[in-house]
Amino acid sequence: MITTACYYGIPDQASALISVARNVGGPIGVSIAQNVLAYREQFHQNRLVEHVVPSNPGYQETLRIVTDYFASAGGGVADAQGRAIAYIGQQVATQSAYWAYIDVFFTLMLISASAVPLALILRKVKL
């Protein structure tokens, strides 16, 4: 419907220009989203890793609980602790990706919200 409204009452050359803008704008939007995702995932991972240190009591307690869980599932204590550390690292990566996607959607929301005033100031086309 939006595409039909764009093409209504304009010559063929202008419709070709709109098609070019759509074909170029899509990949630019995807690359911006990928860039924000990669940057923000690294940012959030760095922030989360600051709290995953052996001196942190919360980390020690989590490591103990997860180690006990893996030890009860079978295997030695050393193997269980290695699996627990890997599990905590996986959780940090998962949480950083989660927050990065939230940032991407927030960025897309800002871009979309900034386009609304531009759409409202467009002139009406005389047919």
Side-chain angles (χ1 to χ4, degrees):
M1 181 151 191
I2 293 174
T3 306
T4 305
C6 288
Y7 294 149
Y8 192 71
I10 58 174
D12 290 338
Q13 293 86 2
S15 65
L17 191 59
I18 291 171
S19 294
V20 168
R22 284 182 46 216
N23 290 336
V24 172
I28 289 174
V30 169
S31 65
I32 288 172
Q34 285 179 331
N35 189 8
V36 170
L37 181 66
Y39 173 76
R40 296 303 290 180
E41 190 170 353
Q42 287 177 345
F43 170 78
H44 288 298
Q45 189 167 9
N46 288 336
R47 296 294 298 183
L48 290 172
V49 166
E50 291 173 1
H51 303 286
V52 183
V53 291
S55 62
N56 186 338
Y59 172 74
Q60 292 173 357
E61 181 66 17
T62 302
L63 183 61
R64 184 189 63 77
I65 291 170
V66 176
T67 301
D68 290 345
Y69 172 77
F70 283 126
S72 68
V77 175
D79 180 48
Q81 187 170 19
R83 290 173 62 191
I85 291 171
Y87 175 78
I88 292 171
Q90 181 184 14
Q91 292 302 309
V92 167
T94 301
Q95 288 297 312
S96 63
Y98 171 76
W99 284 106
Y101 276 103
I102 289 174
D103 292 345
V104 167
F105 280 106
F106 183 76
T107 303
L108 294 174
M109 183 269 307
L110 290 177
I111 292 170
S112 298
S114 66
V116 170
L118 294 175
L120 294 176
I121 64 173
L122 290 175
R123 290 184 288 137
K124 290 186 178 183
V125 177
K126 292 185 179 183
L127 302 177

